Amino acid sequence: MVPKIIEDEALRFIVDSFKDQVNGFIEKSINRLEFSKTKLREDVLKDSQVDIFYSLSLGSLYESLDYDLQALKYYDHALTVNKTLLPIDPDTSLVYCFLGEIFIKLKEYIWALRCYLMAKKIREDTVGGDTLDTATIYNNLGVVCYMMKSFLPANGYFKLAYEIYREFCGINHPRTMMIKANTTKKAKK
């Protein structure tokens, strides 16, 4: 989510960057996003939420180009800034989710597990365990446990995520069906 303090002129370039990303023009998206930073006042650039937004957005773009180490640098910077925020903000879990994702991609499952467990703790402490965002983290924990061949915990996380999605979105929602497929497919192991 774009921080509210970003000025309209920069916001226009951010929106265009998102459109470029959706259309597969990743390099162009990176350039627009970087350019949008030049349109911000100095005090806005120093805002922690703005810094994290840009770090996660740029990291995600580099990750989609398979420049994983470049993405990791942006995520690491976001983590450093993230640690200055109050732990009552549920969005502080996002940095750990991005890191977990890239660690899965790099097959660093122990690190991914640690990141997702931290994200889980933050979400459960701030918004509770029965939300869609927290359920997504449960599903991601299931994936990591599965990749680590810890099938019993994986199945537990998948079932928990499935029940939350089923309750909030119904059984025919695409995410609910994907999590159900994870539970069914991975339970056979």
Side-chain angles (χ1 to χ4, degrees):
M1 183 163 70
V2 178
K4 291 181 172 112
I5 64 169
I6 291 183
E7 295 98 347
D8 288 343
E9 188 175 358
L11 189 58
R12 183 171 49 92
F13 289 102
I14 292 169
V15 169
D16 288 343
S17 171
F18 290 162
K19 288 178 185 174
D20 288 338
Q21 182 182 9
V22 167
N23 290 316
F25 304 119
I26 306 302
E27 292 91 349
K28 191 174 179 182
S29 180
I30 291 170
N31 291 336
R32 283 190 202 261
L33 199 57
E34 288 284 6
F35 185 73
S36 73
K37 288 172 70 174
T38 68
K39 300 297 181 183
L40 297 175
R41 295 187 326 264
E42 193 64 33
D43 62 313
V44 173
L45 275 173
K46 291 180 181 176
D47 181 85
S48 296
Q49 295 284 358
V50 172
D51 196 355
I52 290 170
F53 164 76
Y54 276 103
S55 294
L56 293 180
S57 297
L58 288 164
S60 177
L61 290 167
Y62 281 109
E63 187 177 349
S64 66
L65 289 172
D66 289 327
Y67 296 161
D68 296 335
L69 295 180
Q70 184 69 16
L72 193 54
K73 288 179 187 177
Y74 278 100
Y75 296 157
D76 185 54
H77 175 74
L79 179 62
T80 302
V81 176
N82 197 54
K83 290 178 180 177
T84 67
L85 299 177
L86 294 175
I88 58 169
D89 182 352
D91 288 340
T92 59
S93 68
L94 291 175
V95 174
Y96 294 101
C97 291
F98 276 81
L99 282 165
E101 179 183 323
I102 195 134
F103 283 132
I104 287 175
K105 196 172 173 189
L106 295 171
K107 296 184 178 13
E108 294 287 344
Y109 302 124
I110 297 291
W111 284 102
L113 180 66
R114 292 177 71 177
C115 289
Y116 284 126
L117 286 171
M118 181 60 89
K120 172 184 167 289
K121 179 181 179 354
I122 292 168
R123 282 288 173 173
E124 288 175 343
D125 289 351
T126 57
V127 296
D130 59 346
T131 67
L132 294 176
D133 287 335
T134 309
T136 299
I137 293 170
Y138 295 148
N139 182 66
N140 293 342
L141 278 163
V143 170
V144 173
C145 289
Y146 179 80
M147 299 306 286
M148 295 173 66
K149 300 189 183 331
S150 295
F151 302 119
L152 191 60
N155 197 39
Y157 281 123
F158 288 139
K159 285 182 178 180
L160 183 56
Y162 173 76
E163 289 302 323
I164 294 169
Y165 264 91
R166 184 185 57 76
E167 179 70 27
F168 284 100
C169 300
I171 60 173
N172 294 321
H173 188 275
R175 294 279 304 183
T176 308
M177 293 188 310
M178 184 258 322
I179 295 168
K180 180 66 172 175
N182 281 347
T183 305
T184 305
K185 175 175 60 175
K186 291 168 175 56
K188 293 178 183 174
K189 286 280 181 180

